[in-house]
Amino acid sequence: MIKQFEKYKGIHPGIVLERELKRRAIKQRPFALSLDEHPQTFNAITKGKRGLSTALALKIERELGLEEGTLVVLQAYYDIQKVKEKEIQPTPNLSVLRTSLFWDTDINKIDWQKQYRAVIQRVFERGNEDDKEEITRFYGLEKVRKALEESKARTPYTIYKPN
C-alpha cells in the first residue's frame, strides 16, 4: 500500500477517494461516468454509506494511477475497524435485564447507544425496579431523565431513588 495512504487505515475508502479526487480537481459525476458507474452509487461510496467492491476499486486505481490494491486494502481495514467497534460496544448487564422486555427483537443485536431513547422508554414502561436500576446505572441518571422527558408518552415519568 502507498505510504501516503497508511494513515487512513480504518477510514472508509470512499472518504479517502473523495479527498483524492478533490486534490486532483476531478469532479465525481464525470469520473463515475468514465468508469461506467452510476453517479448515485459513486456518491454513496464517497460519502462512506456504501462499501467499495474489489472490481470498482481496481477500476478507480487504474484510472487514478494508484498502486493496485490500495483501495481494497483500505476497505478491508475499514471492515475490520467496524467489526472491532461492534465487539467492544458496551452493553448493560444482560443478566439483570429481563429478556422478555425485548420480546420483539434479538437483545444481542440492540445498538444500545443509538436506540437509547426507545430502550429507556420501554424499560420504564414495562420493567421492574431491577430493570430500571440497571438502565439508570448503564446510561446515567441525567441521560435517563432527559430521555424520559423527551418521551412522547402521555404522562412524564418520574425517577426517584428509594432512601
Side-chain angles (χ1 to χ4, degrees):
M1 182 175 7
I2 298 174
K3 286 187 178 186
Q4 81 182 63
F5 293 111
E6 269 303 307
K7 61 186 173 190
Y8 295 121
K9 285 183 179 179
I11 296 176
H12 193 282
I15 294 169
V16 175
L17 175 60
E18 183 179 35
R19 290 178 187 169
E20 187 66 18
L21 292 175
K22 280 183 182 176
R23 189 177 70 75
R24 296 179 186 210
I26 299 173
K27 297 202 181 274
Q28 276 187 36
R29 184 175 175 79
F31 185 72
L33 293 172
S34 74
L35 298 171
D36 293 326
E37 194 62 45
H38 292 284
Q40 295 88 346
T41 303
F42 197 78
N43 186 51
I45 291 168
T46 59
K47 298 299 179 206
K49 296 179 180 179
R50 187 175 191 157
L52 184 61
S53 70
T54 304
L56 181 56
L58 290 173
K59 279 188 202 177
I60 293 168
E61 291 163 354
R62 269 188 239 114
E63 192 70 27
L64 294 178
L66 298 175
E67 184 181 327
E68 190 174 87
T70 300
L71 295 175
V72 176
V73 170
L74 286 176
Q75 181 68 50
Y77 278 119
Y78 176 76
D79 294 341
I80 290 168
Q81 181 68 28
K82 285 293 161 194
V83 169
K84 284 182 177 179
E85 285 174 6
K86 278 188 176 179
E87 287 175 350
I88 61 170
Q89 186 180 40
T91 61
N93 186 348
L94 299 180
S95 65
V96 174
L97 285 179
R98 292 178 300 137
T99 54
S100 61
L101 286 171
F102 303 98
W103 57 270
D104 57 343
T105 187
D106 183 355
I107 196 166
N108 297 312
K109 293 185 179 178
I110 294 174
D111 187 332
W112 297 96
Q113 299 309 316
K114 282 185 181 177
Q115 300 167 331
Y116 75 94
R117 285 186 188 100
V119 168
I120 291 170
Q121 184 175 348
R122 180 173 291 199
V123 168
F124 274 79
E125 280 178 357
R126 303 178 185 147
N128 60 29
E129 289 306 312
D130 292 338
D131 298 327
K132 293 175 186 178
E133 283 179 25
E134 176 55 24
I135 289 299
T136 304
R137 182 206 60 79
F138 178 69
Y139 288 116
L141 186 60
E142 197 54 41
K143 190 169 186 174
V144 170
R145 183 174 284 136
K146 185 178 178 192
L148 293 176
E149 286 172 0
E150 293 171 355
S151 168
K152 293 188 170 62
R154 284 179 247 148
T155 57
Y157 296 97
T158 56
I159 300 174
Y160 55 91
K161 287 190 170 188
N163 293 334

